[in-house]
Amino acid sequence: MSKLHCPRCKTSLESMTMIGVTIDICNTCNGCWLDQDESSALTRSRGTKALNIKLVNCKPSQLTCPKCVSKSMEEGQHAQKDTLILDECKDCHGVWLDRGELTALLTIKQ
């Protein structure tokens, strides 16, 4: 697979392993890319309450998917925390998290 690039600043994303899950991070803007199901893998210790990302009130995003490259993403509010606005690719279901959003995401209780 080719190297992923940050949808914000276009620099190469670096792989980082967190709690046994490899995620892609941007060392320039501190954003990160979660492939489909990586959020639930990061919270698997919660058992049946593992976190799944569901966005509501979606609209077109200005960002393009780092995995699908030319596909525009959608931005929307997280269904359980409306102040958390995330960008999701409707094709591969990956999610872009800007700086601080991963921490906010992981603190959501199911």
Side-chain angles (χ1 to χ4, degrees), residues 30-106:
N30 295 314
C32 71
W33 174 254
L34 296 180
D35 288 318
Q36 182 180 14
D37 299 326
E38 286 182 341
S39 63
S40 58
L42 286 170
T43 58
R44 68 181 171 267
S45 65
R46 298 179 186 179
T48 58
K49 295 185 180 190
L51 181 64
N52 290 307
I53 296 174
K54 181 177 181 198
L55 302 183
V56 296
N57 302 322
C58 292
K59 63 182 183 179
S61 171
Q62 295 180 343
L63 303 181
T64 55
C65 177
K67 191 170 187 176
C68 299
V69 184
S70 63
K71 299 284 184 175
S72 292
M73 294 195 285
E74 289 186 342
E75 68 175 24
Q77 298 168 304
H78 191 281
Q80 293 176 277
K81 188 171 188 171
D82 62 2
T83 58
L84 185 58
I85 309 295
L86 305 176
D87 297 275
E88 179 181 32
C89 177
K90 290 301 178 187
D91 286 347
C92 71
H93 301 285
V95 177
W96 178 255
L97 304 167
D98 291 315
R99 181 182 184 160
E101 290 178 341
L102 179 60
T103 301
L105 183 69
L106 294 176

